[in-house]
Amino acid sequence: MIEKDNRPVNLNLLTISLPVIGMSSILHRISGLAVFFSFPLVVWLFSISLKSEESFMFLSSLYQESILLKLIGYLVLLGFTYHLLAGFKKLMSDAFGVGETLESGRALSWLVFGITFIFAVIFIFVIF
């Protein structure tokens, strides 16, 4: 006979309190997905800019005037930066064992968030 499992089941992801290491891991996956889906847009914009001098000037003037294009560029750059930093943290953990304990994993996750925040502020001043 099968015993009934009395453990609590919480399927609402908005009420689960994740540790910072788990949040870092989930955001790394989300940023990777965002970078993957934004890649065709970035390649298309690069191809337009390299087509001719007129198309480059058109894209340059459109970029200077459009806040939406600047915002998309900012979000793509920020997503790529976070994904790169979190991926570097993961590679350091896999290759050298850095961040395998709970305390060091927590500290490295906060470090990745902090460095990403610093880059986010720098990107705001550079892009806008």
Side-chain angles (χ1 to χ4, degrees), residues 5 7 26-27 47 65 73 89 95 102 107 109 115-117 123:
D5 191 9
R7 292 181 293 174
I26 289 174
L27 288 175
S47 71
E65 297 169 1
K89 174 184 139 320
L102 188 60
S109 294
I115 293 173
T116 303
F117 178 76
F123 294 156

Side-chain angles (χ1 to χ4, degrees), residues 5-109:
D5 191 9
N6 291 328
R7 292 181 293 174
V9 176
N10 186 358
L11 299 177
N12 187 354
L13 295 178
L14 299 176
T15 62
I16 295 174
S17 177
L18 278 176
V20 69
I21 298 170
M23 188 62 69
S24 173
S25 176
I26 289 174
L27 288 175
H28 180 244
R29 292 168 192 246
I30 292 172
S31 67
L33 191 68
V35 167
F36 176 76
F37 283 120
S38 67
F39 184 72
L41 174 68
V42 172
V43 170
W44 179 65
L45 289 174
F46 278 147
S47 71
I48 289 175
S49 70
L50 295 174
K51 199 176 287 185
S52 67
E53 185 177 353
E54 293 82 23
S55 63
F56 175 79
M57 295 307 286
F58 171 74
L59 196 60
S60 177
S61 66
L62 183 66
Y63 180 76
Q64 294 298 326
E65 297 169 1
S66 174
I67 191 78
L68 181 65
L69 196 58
K70 286 182 182 181
L71 183 64
I72 290 171
Y74 174 76
L75 291 176
V76 167
L77 192 59
L78 192 60
F80 179 74
T81 302
Y82 178 78
H83 189 72
L84 183 71
L85 291 172
F88 184 70
K89 174 184 139 320
K90 178 69 175 160
L91 287 174
M92 293 295 290
S93 173
D94 289 346
F96 303 110
V98 176
E100 286 186 343
T101 65
L102 188 60
E103 295 86 20
S104 62
R106 229 184 256 141
L108 284 177
S109 294

